[in-house]
Amino acid sequence: MQNSSENKLAFALKSAVAAGLVAMVLAVPIIGLPAVDIGGGTLGLEPRWMHVGLAAIIVFVGRFLLVSTADKRAAMSGDEPLFERMVKPVAQYSKPIGLLVVIAAIALPFMPFANRYVVDVATLTLIYIMLGWGLNIVVGLAGLLDLGYVAFYAVGAYSYALLAIHFDFSFWICLPMAGAFAAFFGVILGFPVLRLRGDYLAIVTLGFGEMIRIVLINWYDVTKGPDGLSSIPRPTFFGLPFKRRPPEGIESFHQYFGLDYSSMHRLIFLYFLILLLALVTYWFSNRMRSLPVGRAWEALREDEIACRSLGINATNTKLTAFAVGAMFGGFAGSFFATRQGFISPESFVFIESAVILAIVVLGGMGSQFGVVIASIFLILLPEIFRELEEYRMLAFGAGMVLIMVWRPQGLSIGRAPSIRLHGDPGKGGAS
Amino acid sequence: MTAPLLNVEHLTMRFGGLVAIDSVSFEARAGEITAIIGPNGAGKTTVFNCLTGFYKPTEGRLTVDRGGENYLLERMMGHDIGQKAKVARTFQNIRLFDKMTVLENLMVAQHNKLMQASGWSIKGLLGLDSFKQAEKEAVDLARYWLERIDLVDQADDDADSLPYGDQRRLEIARAMCTEPTLLCLDEPAAGLNPAESAALNELLLYIRDKHNIGILLIEHDMSVVMKISDHVIVLDYGRKIADGEPEAVRNDPNVIRAYLGEDEDSELPPEIQADLEGGDD
């Protein structure tokens, strides 16, 4: 026994030295050589070897503790990994917890701490939650890796903006039209790429996303190119505008309800709007999952050849997945347009697609709940830690690495069957 | 005698210069088990792939006669063969929907029926009663087949958590949930132990007798072939070399030569003889 514990110590020491060396090498350019102004406006390097050494020592000690206590930690946590134990109660009471979250989300704008910033960040997070749920249909359920989802977001935003500016339609008319346009583009993209799978599909969708962006930049007559579309009409509360001084003959929101004017009214309205849209997306995709078409999506993800042998039309099934996913992207896009009041191709670059995909993958493919957690992680936390400035992205990267080490399959709790023969075990069914 | 359910005429499949199937003709009848046997590489699975639309045959005609209506399989899209001509199949390497439950596997098999009942999802989204009724019937059909293959208790487990033999039978049940007129089974007994193999025989005979559909069977396990098939077709190098009752095929000199090579001596080594007779070892 003595021998084996010595071996373990040696192993821990070895791996700690290796990690420390790697950290040192990485730290030299990242921490050790900051560029500073050395007078006369020229930049020079000011080496900080102390910091490099410190970083290497921290990594060394951390790694040593991690490896040398691995056995003890494993013995302590028992058979079940920590995460499973943590999420089990969550999975068991998913319904009441979900309800609580929704109630909290509704109450949020009326909380004393809810200032302009809080509502804004919450709105932003909800946009990504909605996009995540939309993309989840394509990637998580149907298993079609889509790297150009932002294209549908852009189509929705531009259709909304153009319709609202040129035809003066109200938000509630533009919204379904924008969704329909985006779904139409989903089908257009879907047709040529149906025979592709996996990596090949990802490349084509990536190209499609870029195509849309480049068309938006260059089609100056319609999209105003890189200048973007401005003065997009703001949404109204069923015809009541949110303005301090509405035009003659029109009552504004605060006048109608006898309130004092506050710019928060519009923000809170927008917040509830996106909350509603996100909940509709959630309800719709959850519902679709337990319908034949949703089951066919999942079956297609599992085995396309078996689907064909069962008489399932894979072409149509994939197209519906593309169209439905794109439609929700379009809805989110039109909300984005009306919230910002200004859109330009800058908002629809590839990194947006990547972030949305990261939300779906980190959340655990196909998991609705995981999307919420991942959105909070990827959108909300970086916003909150804005004070950390340049270390913010470092923390973002570290967080991603942590999740992938900790839960390579994503944060999801596991797939719930869309139909059961023996009733729900959580409710004490027949089984 | 009734008209054959499946009529294959001069089926030929070439891959470039390679002739995988060379002008093969045969028939399969409803209420009969037709076995296709032959050495490895004889073209058995290629016949199945042509029948189920995974390959387009180079030449030949494949007709399914379903209650007087004829379907020409070689002209149909892959999924139409399952949907309209009602030809279902299983695969040599099991192809279940692994991460879905046993029941969901059987529900996916009833997709076309349910899709129509859900009004292409509109009625389903609204939760109308007509759809709920259809879904209940689909669950009942799934339960019926789960009882046949003895997996009712595992209905809510993931398909990939089942033992190998159960997965084989689940794949057959899934094919049966499409309510086919012709069931094509590609080596259903591969990798099964004797007990599982016997259970499979029983299941196939049950399907044949109670549901009166045609079963086309590719199999290497002679104990299965000789016991349950009504009709045996032997392929070798893409040609049909024998066609008839199991007893007749077993003694056919062409078949013996195909299995043992060009030996003038027609005496079989005892272990092969036992194998061909469907030895009860």
Side-chain angles (χ1 to χ4, degrees):
Chain A
M1 288 316 282
Q2 182 68 25
N3 200 13
S4 90
S5 78
E6 247 171 44
N7 267 347
K8 270 179 198 149
L9 208 67
F11 174 73
L13 212 60
K14 219 191 279 176
S15 95
V17 168
L21 280 177
V22 171
M24 189 140 78
V25 171
L26 286 177
V28 169
I30 297 174
I31 304 173
L33 296 171
V36 289
D37 190 351
I38 52 167
T42 41
L43 282 178
L45 293 172
E46 190 189 57
R48 294 192 294 191
W49 304 123
M50 270 293 287
H51 291 72
V52 174
L54 211 62
I57 288 168
I58 290 172
V59 170
F60 171 82
V61 172
R63 179 73 193 165
F64 181 75
L65 288 178
L66 200 68
V67 175
S68 58
T69 61
D71 287 352
K72 273 181 207 152
R73 278 183 295 124
M76 244 161 56
S77 63
D79 304 327
E80 238 179 338
L82 181 69
F83 187 84
E84 304 288 324
R85 269 184 303 161
M86 265 167 56
V87 296
K88 224 173 206 169
V90 178
Q92 208 162 14
Y93 301 104
S94 61
K95 275 229 169 105
I97 288 177
L99 207 64
L100 270 178
V101 170
V102 171
I103 290 171
I106 292 172
L108 177 80
F110 307 113
M111 293 288 157
F113 59 83
N115 53 21
R116 194 186 175 91
Y117 176 69
V118 169
V119 175
D120 245 358
V121 170
T123 307
L124 187 73
T125 311
L126 276 171
I127 291 180
Y128 280 93
I129 290 178
M130 178 172 174
L131 286 169
W133 278 337
L135 184 63
N136 206 3
I137 293 174
V138 184
V139 178
L141 293 184
L144 304 163
L145 186 52
D146 185 350
L147 286 181
Y149 192 62
V150 80
F152 306 122
Y153 190 41
V155 168
Y158 271 85
S159 342
Y160 174 82
L162 292 171
L163 286 169
I165 291 172
H166 295 299
F167 301 103
D168 210 22
F169 290 153
S170 86
F171 178 78
W172 296 108
I173 296 174
C174 290
L175 183 76
M177 287 175 82
F181 270 118
F184 175 67
F185 270 79
V187 173
I188 292 197
L189 165 67
F191 257 117
V193 305
L194 281 171
R195 12 178 95 243
L196 305 177
R197 263 181 242 175
D199 319 355
Y200 304 99
L201 178 74
I203 293 168
V204 176
T205 51
L206 175 69
F208 181 77
E210 286 301 286
M211 264 160 59
I212 294 280
R213 193 174 63 85
I214 287 167
V215 166
L216 291 179
I217 291 178
N218 290 293
W219 197 8
Y220 195 84
D221 297 338
V222 176
T223 64
K224 294 275 187 303
D227 301 346
L229 292 168
S230 53
S231 64
I232 299 166
R234 297 300 194 150
T236 56
F237 186 81
F238 301 104
L240 304 171
F242 293 94
K243 284 182 180 159
R244 187 187 293 275
R245 293 188 193 78
E248 279 299 312
I250 296 177
E251 227 176 350
S252 80
F253 177 78
H254 69 281
Q255 287 166 339
Y256 185 85
F257 287 98
L259 302 165
D260 287 333
Y261 175 77
S262 157
S263 60
M264 279 296 282
H265 290 158
R266 189 169 60 82
L267 290 180
I268 292 175
F269 174 67
L270 283 172
Y271 172 79
F272 279 122
L273 193 59
I274 186 67
L275 185 63
L276 178 76
L277 287 174
L279 287 177
V280 166
T281 313
Y282 175 82
W283 176 82
F284 190 87
S285 50
N286 230 10
R287 189 79 206 199
M288 284 302 248
R289 234 195 105 213
S290 59
L291 288 181
V293 65
R295 244 175 252 136
W297 288 339
E298 289 196 79
L300 212 58
R301 175 193 68 199
E302 296 292 322
D303 197 324
E304 189 173 337
I305 287 176
C307 277
R308 266 176 62 191
S309 81
L310 295 173
I312 293 174
N313 187 335
T315 313
N316 288 354
T317 310
K318 279 189 195 173
L319 280 181
T320 50
F322 260 116
V324 172
M327 181 178 77
F328 286 113
F331 288 158
S334 46
F335 174 81
F336 178 76
T338 189
R339 171 176 178 254
Q340 301 294 100
F342 166 80
I343 49 171
S344 74
E346 287 289 288
S347 313
F348 308 105
V349 289
F350 169 68
I351 190 73
E352 292 294 317
S353 290
V355 167
I356 304 165
L357 188 66
I359 287 174
V360 174
V361 173
L362 282 187
M365 306 271 249
S367 162
Q368 306 265 56
F369 177 75
V371 165
V372 178
I373 304 287
S375 303
I376 288 173
F377 202 85
L378 292 187
I379 307 297
L380 190 61
L381 291 188
E383 277 302 325
I384 290 174
F385 293 115
R386 220 165 242 293
E387 286 109 79
L388 295 176
E389 290 174 20
E390 66 258 45
Y391 295 105
R392 193 162 68 103
M393 289 324 274
L394 197 67
F396 179 87
M400 280 254 225
V401 170
L402 274 182
I403 291 190
M404 284 298 117
V405 168
W406 190 34
R407 286 284 289 180
Q409 71 274 51
L411 295 166
S412 80
I413 307 166
R415 183 180 170 279
S418 63
I419 187 166
R420 286 176 184 278
L421 194 63
H422 300 299
D424 199 336
K427 289 178 196 147
S431 102
Chain B
M1 212 167 185
T2 52
L5 173 66
L6 170 74
N7 197 356
V8 175
E9 294 161 274
H10 301 287
L11 174 63
T12 301
M13 184 75 215
R14 290 193 201 97
F15 297 102
L18 178 82
V19 185
I21 310 174
D22 190 5
S23 191
V24 168
S25 304
F26 65 91
E27 291 173 352
R29 290 174 190 282
E32 277 187 11
I33 295 179
T34 306
I36 302 178
I37 64 170
N40 285 331
K44 303 179 298 281
T45 299
T46 310
V47 170
F48 267 30
N49 282 342
C50 289
L51 279 175
T52 47
F54 287 93
Y55 295 154
K56 279 262 171 279
T58 322
E59 281 165 33
R61 194 152 87 148
L62 312 163
T63 321
V64 164
D65 179 355
R66 200 150 82 78
E69 258 182 282
N70 283 334
Y71 295 89
L72 296 177
L73 301 184
E74 77 277 9
R75 298 197 186 159
M76 296 172 85
M77 301 272 289
H79 61 85
D80 275 347
I81 290 175
Q83 191 178 354
K84 304 211 174 94
K86 292 279 179 194
V87 177
R89 75 171 289 183
T90 65
F91 296 86
Q92 202 169 347
N93 44 344
I94 305 174
R95 285 183 175 276
L96 288 171
F97 305 125
D98 283 343
K99 294 288 170 230
M100 299 174 81
T101 66
V102 170
L103 178 63
E104 282 176 316
N105 268 275
L106 301 184
M107 295 296 280
V108 170
Q110 305 175 59
H111 175 77
N112 289 313
K113 194 174 65 183
L114 283 171
M115 200 65 186
Q116 208 155 8
S118 77
W120 281 269
S121 300
I122 294 162
K123 282 188 204 165
L125 271 176
L126 300 173
L128 295 189
D129 282 343
S130 63
F131 171 66
K132 281 186 188 150
Q133 184 58 31
E135 192 172 47
K136 203 178 149 291
E137 280 164 20
V139 173
D140 286 342
L141 180 64
R143 186 193 282 274
Y144 170 82
W145 282 108
L146 285 175
E147 280 162 5
R148 296 287 87 71
I149 60 172
D150 213 9
L151 283 180
V152 180
D153 290 341
Q154 287 94 314
D156 295 332
D157 297 348
D158 281 355
D160 66 350
S161 71
L162 295 179
Y164 184 81
D166 288 349
Q167 293 195 16
R168 281 261 175 229
R169 276 180 298 145
L170 177 60
E171 206 189 11
I172 295 173
R174 187 181 68 182
M176 285 309 295
C177 276
T178 65
E179 297 168 275
T181 50
L182 178 68
L183 178 64
C184 304
L185 303 171
D186 198 344
E187 295 198 22
L192 298 190
N193 64 35
E196 288 172 326
S197 198
L200 177 78
N201 285 357
E202 218 169 285
L203 177 67
L204 294 185
L205 289 174
Y206 177 88
I207 291 173
R208 179 191 71 180
D209 296 338
K210 286 281 171 353
H211 290 265
N212 198 38
I213 66 170
I215 297 180
L216 212 54
L217 177 75
I218 293 179
E219 194 46 78
H220 278 301
D221 187 339
M222 288 301 157
S223 72
V224 174
V225 171
M226 292 300 160
K227 253 185 226 152
I228 65 169
S229 40
D230 302 294
H231 191 102
V232 178
I233 293 155
V234 189
L235 296 184
D236 189 29
Y237 293 112
R239 288 167 201 271
K240 186 170 86 171
I241 58 170
D243 187 345
E245 308 265 309
E247 198 56 41
V249 166
R250 189 202 314 232
N251 300 321
D252 191 309
N254 280 331
V255 177
I256 294 166
R257 201 174 306 134
Y259 271 89
L260 298 176
E262 297 280 351
D263 202 321
E264 287 307 307
D265 189 0
S266 63
E267 272 295 303
L268 287 177
E271 65 269 23
I272 307 274
Q273 188 67 46
D275 208 19
L276 279 176
E277 274 163 13
D280 297 290
D281 44 325

